[in-house]
Amino acid sequence: ITWLTMSEQKVFSINDLKRFSALEGKVLKDVIYYVWINRFPKSSPLVFIDKLQFIFADESVVTLTAGDQSDALYFLDDFDLKREAELLEQEFNGEITLKAHSAINDRFWAGLNDKKITSVRLSKQQNEYLADAVVFDLEGDLRLVGVSPEEGVLIDFYEDI
C-alpha cells in the first residue's frame, strides 16, 4: 500500500525491524482494535481503527498505530486507553471518543487464536523497509496491516500471488 510519494514515505528503523523479527514464534491470544469515533457531524460519524494491539500467549503486548497523520505504521510503547480517551473527550467536548474492541473473533482474525506468527513481511524499497504495511503469517494464514491517511490502520486478508 503506497499513499505517499517516494520522498514522503516513512521507513522502519533498525530497532523496528528487530521488534518485528522478535514477533516470529509468538503465539497470538487476542487482537484489540482501538477505534476512533468522531461524532461530528452526527449524520455521518467518522469511525476508524487508530491503533491495533496484539496480545500474545507469553503475555507480551505489541501496539501499532497509524500515528497522528496516518502516514505510516509506528510501534507505540506507552499507550493508556483511559488517559487518551479522557484527553480526547475533553479536547473535543465529547465529539471524539476512543473505544477498545477485541477483534479475535471478528472476520479477519477468527480462527487465529493460538496460532504462531511464523514470519513478518515488509515492503522493501532499495535498502530500506517501508512503514506502509506489514504482512503477518500466522501458520499460513496471512493478514495485511496497512495505513491510509483517510482510514487509519487497515486490516485485510493477504494472498501470495
Side-chain angles (χ1 to χ4, degrees):
I1 299 173
T2 304
W3 303 102
L4 305 171
T5 66
M6 280 298 292
S7 62
E8 296 172 316
Q9 287 183 335
K10 308 288 187 208
V11 296
F12 287 118
S13 69
I14 296 297
N15 189 48
D16 293 337
L17 298 176
K18 289 178 183 177
R19 292 176 79 171
F20 280 123
S21 180
L23 295 178
E24 294 179 1
K26 289 195 175 277
V27 176
L28 187 65
K29 290 311 272 183
D30 202 357
V31 176
I32 308 295
Y33 293 166
Y34 292 96
V35 181
W36 172 290
I37 305 164
N38 183 342
R39 293 187 178 93
F40 185 81
K42 295 198 185 300
S43 60
S44 60
L46 176 64
V47 178
F48 63 89
I49 301 170
D50 184 52
K51 295 165 185 52
L52 172 70
Q53 189 171 72
F54 296 105
I55 301 173
F56 299 102
D58 65 2
E59 299 185 12
S60 61
V61 175
V62 170
T63 306
L64 296 173
T65 181
D68 292 339
Q69 304 300 315
S70 291
D71 60 350
L73 290 172
Y74 301 92
F75 282 96
L76 184 61
D77 293 320
D78 58 351
F79 176 63
D80 179 341
L81 172 63
K82 184 177 179 184
R83 184 185 77 225
E84 188 162 331
E86 287 172 356
L87 289 172
L88 280 172
E89 289 200 39
Q90 289 172 3
E91 183 177 348
F92 296 101
N93 297 319
E95 295 293 332
I96 296 178
T97 57
L98 188 63
K99 303 286 183 190
H101 167 74
S102 173
I104 196 66
N105 294 314
D106 288 359
R107 175 182 134 179
F108 292 115
W109 304 102
L112 299 181
N113 185 25
D114 293 324
K115 286 209 173 184
K116 186 184 301 183
I117 294 178
T118 52
S119 70
V120 178
R121 304 177 193 180
L122 305 170
S123 307
K124 189 172 184 180
Q125 180 99 21
Q126 296 167 347
N127 291 327
E128 298 181 306
Y129 291 90
L130 302 178
D132 62 344
V134 179
V135 174
F136 293 95
D137 183 340
L138 293 121
E139 299 180 30
D141 288 304
L142 306 177
R143 296 301 178 269
L144 173 72
V145 176
V147 62
S148 161
E150 294 85 25
E151 300 178 51
V153 176
L154 303 174
I155 292 98
D156 205 348
F157 297 100
Y158 185 83
E159 292 184 32
D160 282 325
I161 298 176

